Amino acid sequence: VLQLGSDILPQYKQETPKTPPHIILHYCLFKTTWDWVILILTFYTAIMVPYNVSFKTKQNNVTWLVVDSIVDVIFLVDIVLNFHTTFVGPAGEVISDPKLIRMNYLKTWFVIDLLSCLPYDVINAFENVDEGISSLFSSLKVVRLLRLGRVARKLDHYIEYGAAVLVLLVCVFGLAAHWLACI
C-alpha cells in the first residue's frame, strides 16, 4: 500500500474543507471510484463508436441498444454529479461554493458532456428515420470521443501510481490499434 505523507500530499488533501451537504469533494473515495467507472465507459464508447461508424452497423440488436442507453444514462448522471463536485482553483484552494462550481463546469466541459450523453442510438433505432438523418446521428456519436480529453486531464491525478499509469498506457495503445483497424 502506497502511503503518502504530508510532505507529498497537496495542502487541500491534508485538511478537509467545510462544504455544503450536497457538495462532493473531488478527491473522496466515491468520486475517485466514479471517475474510474466513467473512464471504463469512455473506453467502451471509444471502442464501439468507431466500430459502428466504420462498419455502419445499425443497432437493431436490443441488447446493445439497452447497454448503450445505460451508458448514456450514466453519462447523464455524471453531468449532475459534476455540478455538485468541488474543484481546485487557480491558487490551489478547494472551491466548494455551488455557484462557482456550476459556473466553472458550464464554462469548461458541460457542452461536451451534454453532447456525449444524448441518446443517438435510440433515435437511430426507429425504422422510419431517414437514411441521411440516421447517418448524421451516427456521425454525431463521434462527439463522444471528446470525453477522452477529460480522461487525459484526469491522468495527472494517477501519475504517482505506477500500476495505474501502466494499465492506462496499455489501454491507450490498444485503443489506438483498434482505431487504426477501423480506419
Side-chain angles (χ1 to χ4, degrees), residues 44 58-71 121-122 125-127:
Y44 164 78
K58 190 152 177 147
Q59 294 287 346
N60 288 334
N61 189 346
V62 176
T63 305
W64 288 112
L65 185 63
V66 169
V67 169
D68 286 341
S69 297
I70 290 171
V71 170
D121 294 324
V122 173
F126 295 110
E127 295 296 326

Side-chain angles (χ1 to χ4, degrees), residues 35-48 50 145 148 151-152 155 162-180:
D35 287 342
W36 277 101
V37 168
I38 293 298
L39 175 72
I40 291 167
L41 292 178
T42 302
F43 275 116
Y44 164 78
T45 301
I47 290 169
M48 292 307 291
L145 299 181
L148 288 174
V151 171
L155 283 180
V165 172
L166 183 63
V167 168
L168 290 174
L169 282 176
V170 168
C171 290
V172 167
F173 286 129
L175 189 62
H178 172 72
W179 287 352
L180 291 172

Side-chain angles (χ1 to χ4, degrees), residues 6 14 26 50 111 147 149 154 176:
S6 62
Q14 293 178 24
H26 67 280
V111 173
R147 287 187 71 91
K154 291 185 184 223

Side-chain angles (χ1 to χ4, degrees), residues 19 35 43 48 53 65 78 99 101 113-114 123 126 133 144 147:
T19 59
D35 287 342
F43 275 116
M48 292 307 291
V53 170
L65 185 63
D78 185 50
K99 185 176 181 180
I101 291 172
D113 288 347
L114 183 65
I123 297 169
F126 295 110
I133 293 175
R144 292 181 177 187
R147 287 187 71 91

